[in-house]
Amino acid sequence: MSVFEAELKNGRFVISECPRCQKTIWPPSEFCTHCFGNTVWRTISEPGTLVEYSSKDGKTFCIAEFEDSIRVMGSLDAKTPSVGQKVKISSCGFDKSPQFTFRPE
Ligand SMILES: [Zn+2]
């Protein structure tokens, strides 16, 4: 299990960053895609922005964007979602793939 997956299981959404290139590495990796050096892990900055959503059978799924570049899918806990609104992570986990639940800020 990668650092990314293990941290998600602990309820933390972390991303990797290369200290040498000062670039965020996404999808997360223990190695920089530019210089192949080791990356460091840090918690993502919140809130994110709701990019799009769709509702089906009473459940809402969405894509949220963090730090203007990192897009993740998850479920959305909002009665009246609107594109562009700020969202925070209410829970996250890992079960074969990353699991996120977002709520309005
Ligand atoms: Zn690098």
Side-chain angles (χ1 to χ4, degrees), residues 54-83:
S54 65
S55 298
K56 195 183 173 192
D57 302 329
K59 289 192 167 190
T60 304
F61 297 93
C62 73
I63 296 173
E65 185 177 86
F66 292 85
E67 304 187 11
D68 295 325
S69 60
I70 296 162
R71 291 186 171 198
V72 290
M73 286 173 55
S75 51
L76 180 65
D77 203 358
K79 286 193 176 73
T80 53
S82 69
V83 168

Side-chain angles (χ1 to χ4, degrees), residues 12-42:
R12 282 190 295 273
F13 181 14
V14 296
I15 56 173
S16 52
E17 195 171 64
C18 176
R20 203 182 312 175
C21 305
Q22 302 203 318
K23 278 190 157 79
T24 301
I25 312 303
W26 185 261
S29 168
E30 282 159 47
F31 301 100
C32 175
T33 48
H34 305 278
C35 72
F36 304 105
N38 289 318
T39 54
V40 294
W41 297 90
R42 65 168 175 85

